[in-house]
Amino acid sequence: MGDAGVNVGEVRAFFDRLADGWDGVCEHDPARIERILDLADILPGVSVLDIACGTGVLVPCYLRRGVARVHGIDLSAEMVHRAREKGFGERASFGVGDASVCPLPTTGRAMVFNALPHMASPARLVANVARSLAPGGRLTIAHDASRAVIDGGHSATPSAVSRGLMPATDLARIVAPWLDVDVELDEEIYVVSGTLRADAAATPIPDAAASASANAAAASFPDARGDL
């Protein structure tokens, strides 16, 4: 595991290979999940953008809370295929794409769960997601385990697929141009969460030229426009 060099294509291929058995190895403490969802302000009637949704692990939790809509996005077409197979109903839909560069639907809440170490550019991801947040919307980046546990679990993962999980204080500084951070936990769970800043639109997206180029190739996420 390295601290740099995450490659989108390598991440996609890695999770495509794991998709078949993913649900069999994903185990989560329900109490920790509920605490994360509380901190993320997942309330009845809100819309949720689930970034790096995988096979839809959190979707039942969102639906039980009475959200109006969930849209999941993941790099891995195989993960998304399995999420769609679960038949979550009309309130849930899924698309394949890179949330760092794809056009995204307008949403009240956005969640990045157990995925930050696989993001090539956390700043670019946050900047693009911030563009999709409705006024007063909230983005939450979370893990249901500590940094030590997460890094230990990724110790054998190639550096092109995973980097070390940065301290929550570092992530809070990165997201500050776009979010007013009011949750910063780096304990048995890891959570950085904040609401959209009023001046976020004036902050440029990092690597704007690269984002524009990649955006042109994001046609595999055709239903990413419009309200969520």
Side-chain angles (χ1 to χ4, degrees), residues 98-132:
D98 182 351
S100 296
V101 294
C102 278
L104 298 170
T106 303
T107 188
R109 305 288 185 272
M111 174 71 79
V112 182
F113 177 68
N114 283 2
L116 183 62
H118 308 295
M119 300 297 171
S121 172
R124 190 166 67 236
L125 171 72
V126 171
N128 195 46
V129 173
R131 297 170 67 188
S132 77

Side-chain angles (χ1 to χ4, degrees), residues 70-219:
V70 181
H71 192 110
I73 174 173
D74 200 282
L75 279 173
S76 166
E78 294 299 323
M79 289 282 188
V80 168
H81 175 68
R82 281 148 187 82
R84 288 171 172 159
E85 284 185 326
K86 293 180 178 179
F88 288 117
E90 294 181 353
R91 286 188 291 156
S93 58
F94 302 91
V96 179
D98 182 351
S100 296
V101 294
C102 278
L104 298 170
T106 303
T107 188
R109 305 288 185 272
M111 174 71 79
V112 182
F113 177 68
N114 283 2
L116 183 62
H118 308 295
M119 300 297 171
S121 172
R124 190 166 67 236
L125 171 72
V126 171
N128 195 46
V129 173
R131 297 170 67 188
S132 77
L133 288 175
R138 175 176 292 274
L139 168 62
T140 301
I141 301 172
H143 287 266
D144 61 340
S146 68
R147 275 195 298 130
V149 170
I150 297 300
D151 286 346
H154 290 159
S155 60
T157 305
S159 60
V161 172
S162 177
R163 73 178 79 225
L165 182 58
M166 70 182 74
T169 52
D170 291 354
L171 179 60
R173 283 194 293 270
I174 288 173
V175 306
W178 300 277
L179 303 176
D180 285 321
V181 175
D182 53 13
V183 179
E184 186 182 316
L185 294 179
D186 205 339
E187 306 165 353
E188 64 177 7
I189 62 173
Y190 176 103
V191 184
V192 173
S193 182
T195 54
L196 183 68
R197 290 175 57 105
D199 59 353
T203 304
I205 295 180
D207 303 324
S211 295
S213 175
N215 210 7

